[in-house]
């Protein structure tokens, strides 16, 4: 623990990709849960593509989203600037508490009209806080949870949320 803590402090955080090809991939459980989902699903980053690609944690989420889009014909990924297209993003707000900023990601199903908004944190810049697990002790993100969050969002917005993915740690 001491060695890992020192390395973590010196490097600014340890990120270990435990996927089979060392990229953020879609696992077998997600594939089986989404195999019967045929409604169109839009993944919309509320920032231009160059901003998304320029931030490490955002780019990790982008790679996962594009992986979903390459596997499933009904899933698309797009990039729109919320600052220049406010009216477009207003349709995704369901409560007065919903806020879509340039630090947001929207999962939307046009056939159901349902959407899910994921928030990014501006401190540190462009960390997609909703896609990571955080340590209550250090306040840093330590585990990428994007696959779980996105798969559940797809099931929810398409109305196929009879089953929910859960992970437990003992």
């Amino acid at each position: 623990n001491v060695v890992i803590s020192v390395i973590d402090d010196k490097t600014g955080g340890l990120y270990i990709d435990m996927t089979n090809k060392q990229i953020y991939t879609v696992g077998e459980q997600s594939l089986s849960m989404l195999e019967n989902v045929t409604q169109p699903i839009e993944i919309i980053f509320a920032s231009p593509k160059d901003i998304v690609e320029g931030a490490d944690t955002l780019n990790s989420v982008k790679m996962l989203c594009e992986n979903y889009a390459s596997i499933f014909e009904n899933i698309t990924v797009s990039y729109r600037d919320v600052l220049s297209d406010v009216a477009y993003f207003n349709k995704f707000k369901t409560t007065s508490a919903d806020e879509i900023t340039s630090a947001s990601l929207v999962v939307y199903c046009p056939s159901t009209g349902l959407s899910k908004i994921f928030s990014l944190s501006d401190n540190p810049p462009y960390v997609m806080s909703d896609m990571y697990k955080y340590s209550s002790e250090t306040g840093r993100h330590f585990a990428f949870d994007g696959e779980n969050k996105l798969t559940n969002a797809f099931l929810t917005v398409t109305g196929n949320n009879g089953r929910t993915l859960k992970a437990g740690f003992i």
Side-chain angles (χ1 to χ4, degrees), residues 22-61:
Q22 297 301 299
I23 59 173
Y24 293 94
T25 58
V26 179
E28 292 299 321
Q29 186 175 12
S30 292
L31 293 172
S32 73
M33 292 188 76
L34 296 172
E35 69 185 355
N36 295 322
V37 175
T38 58
Q39 297 98 322
I41 299 169
E42 298 175 15
I43 303 171
I44 307 145
F45 285 88
S47 293
K49 189 173 185 176
D50 60 332
I51 299 291
V52 173
E53 290 177 337
D56 288 339
T57 56
L58 271 180
N59 199 42
S60 298
V61 176

Side-chain angles (χ1 to χ4, degrees), residues 1 6 18 23 33 48 60 65 79 88 100 105 125 149 168:
N1 284 342
V6 169
M18 296 173 58
I23 59 173
M33 292 188 76
S60 298
C65 291
Y79 307 85
Y88 173 79
I100 300 175
L105 171 82
K149 300 290 179 100

Side-chain angles (χ1 to χ4, degrees), residues 97-117:
D98 287 340
E99 183 179 5
I100 300 175
T101 68
S102 60
S104 297
L105 171 82
V106 177
V107 175
Y108 173 63
C109 178
S111 60
T112 63
L114 298 174
S115 62
K116 167 75 174 140
I117 302 167

Side-chain angles (χ1 to χ4, degrees), residues 47 51 55-58 102-103 120-129:
S47 293
I51 299 291
D56 288 339
T57 56
L58 271 180
S102 60
L120 303 168
S121 170
D122 289 326
N123 189 10
Y126 297 106
V127 172
M128 185 165 277
S129 55

